[in-house]
Amino acid sequence: MSNAQSPTVRHRRLARQLRQQREKAGLTMERAAAALGWSRPKLLRFETAKTRPKASDVEEMLDLYGGDEGVKLALMQLARDIRKRGWWSAFNDVLTGSFAELEDDATEIRSWQVQFIPGLLQTSDYALALIRILSPEDSEDVLLRRLQARMARRAILERENAPTFTVVLDEAVLRRAVGGPQVMARQLEALVDAAAKPNISVRIMPISVGEHAGMDGPFVALSFAGELDQDVVYLEGMGGEVYVEEVGQVTRCNVRFDRICEQALTEEDSVSLIADIAKEYQRSHESPR
């Protein structure tokens, strides 16, 4: 399925909320469809994000379901925003858009990483080194497009309504010389600068801790401002992207992140360690061979 045809994050969110509002009203899909004068497949396509409903369709559904007027107004606005284009739409050739859209909407992002520095904090040289090794089959033009997209993502941390971003890195991420010593020195210096910003917190899980709460892998948890917007946990691997939305699972991930933070170094000690390792890379680069 092409990116243009895939449901956006807002579209999936609306579909989920419409289904929940119907269920709260005590209506089966068959009864709701009959009351609306629609076929069951039409309503099913709306509730599974297979078809984008018009604002008038959403209004008819919510009038039938009743409930809180504030919820109705919020969902009507969400229906109008489904086709809203974000920065990622300019990079449809190299981005699916779903995670970028989540990041852009989030008010709080919590990231636990064990392999590399997260994209929102990557320098261009570090990012390009990663992109090259992870996408060896791509042409140079595509690699550079991926780099452009990644650099564009970073703007969300600089805007007026920037989300808070808390990242915990395994110490091994700092020790892994992606792109070589000079690239790593500049990347870690940039990480120190980022940690000084009021909306960014950088913590390190030291190797000396031994076993810790994050040993089963990295994840990103995102929270949103809207009352109807549930937290989402994002997982990425060779098998593709996974979005965890079930409340119990998301809660467990958030508790896990809190435990990871408890075992990590303080922000002050983390920044000191990052700066020290940056100096080690710099000395390594400057040493005569």
Side-chain angles (χ1 to χ4, degrees):
M1 184 177 293
S2 71
N3 294 336
Q5 295 173 314
S6 299
T8 65
V9 173
R10 294 185 185 94
H11 188 184
R12 289 198 299 268
R13 190 183 303 161
L14 177 63
R16 182 178 65 247
Q17 288 295 334
L18 290 174
R19 182 183 69 252
Q20 291 177 356
Q21 293 304 309
R22 174 180 59 76
E23 292 170 347
K24 284 182 181 179
L27 293 170
T28 63
M29 189 173 291
E30 289 76 10
R31 288 179 58 197
L36 290 163
W38 298 346
S39 66
R40 184 183 184 280
K42 176 178 177 177
L43 183 57
L44 178 63
R45 288 195 297 273
F46 288 158
E47 291 192 1
T48 55
K50 296 294 190 297
T51 301
R52 290 175 175 175
K54 295 180 292 187
S56 57
D57 294 327
V58 174
E59 187 172 19
E60 284 186 57
M61 296 164 75
L62 297 176
D63 284 344
L64 173 64
Y65 303 156
D68 185 85
E69 186 65 19
V71 171
K72 178 180 177 180
L73 292 173
L75 290 180
M76 288 298 299
Q77 186 60 51
L78 183 57
R80 288 188 285 269
D81 287 345
I82 281 180
R83 292 171 175 81
K84 186 176 176 183
R85 291 168 64 84
W87 67 264
W88 54 89
S89 62
F91 297 97
N92 281 339
D93 53 329
V94 292
L95 286 179
T96 62
S98 294
F99 183 67
E101 188 179 345
L102 280 173
E103 271 189 340
D104 195 66
D105 281 352
T107 55
E108 183 179 5
I109 304 171
R110 299 172 299 283
S111 179
W112 159 238
Q113 296 295 334
V114 300
Q115 294 291 352
F116 46 75
I117 291 163
L120 289 175
L121 299 178
Q122 291 175 8
T123 64
S124 58
D125 288 340
Y126 181 95
L128 185 57
L130 279 178
I131 291 168
R132 286 191 189 285
I133 196 67
L134 295 176
S135 304
E137 71 286 353
D138 287 341
S139 68
E140 187 68 13
D141 287 345
V142 172
L143 293 175
L144 292 177
R145 282 289 288 166
R146 292 190 185 282
L147 177 62
Q148 289 175 336
R150 190 162 302 182
M151 294 300 100
R153 279 176 61 197
R154 302 189 310 174
I156 72 168
L157 294 178
E158 304 290 340
R159 70 192 186 197
E160 185 176 347
N161 62 337
T164 60
F165 185 40
T166 302
V167 58
V168 184
L169 301 172
D170 191 276
E171 184 181 341
V173 173
L174 310 181
R175 304 286 183 184
R176 186 172 295 110
V178 174
Q182 188 174 15
V183 169
M184 279 303 296
R186 288 197 296 262
Q187 172 63 78
L188 296 190
E189 288 164 1
L191 200 58
V192 169
D193 291 340
K197 296 177 181 178
N199 62 317
I200 300 176
S201 170
V202 180
R203 308 273 298 277
I204 304 301
M205 179 69 76
I207 293 172
S208 60
V209 164
E211 67 273 14
H212 57 75
M215 294 185 73
D216 54 355
F219 61 91
V220 181
L222 305 104
S223 298
F224 308 90
E227 293 182 10
L228 301 178
D229 295 335
Q230 302 173 4
D231 287 6
V232 176
V233 172
Y234 171 77
L235 309 170
E236 183 180 15
M238 288 191 66
E241 301 175 335
V242 176
Y243 296 91
V244 179
E245 297 179 273
E246 195 277 319
V247 174
Q249 291 180 314
V250 171
T251 298
R252 284 192 288 275
C253 288
N254 284 326
V255 170
R256 179 68 58 86
F257 190 81
D258 289 342
R259 290 177 57 202
I260 289 169
C261 287
E262 289 171 2
Q263 292 182 279
L265 297 176
T266 65
E267 291 182 39
E268 183 178 356
D269 289 344
S270 295
V271 169
S272 294
L273 178 61
I274 296 168
D276 288 344
I277 297 176
K279 291 174 184 175
E280 292 176 15
Y281 280 121
Q282 194 60 46
R283 287 194 295 269
S284 172
H285 172 69
E286 293 171 351
S287 297
R289 288 178 170 79

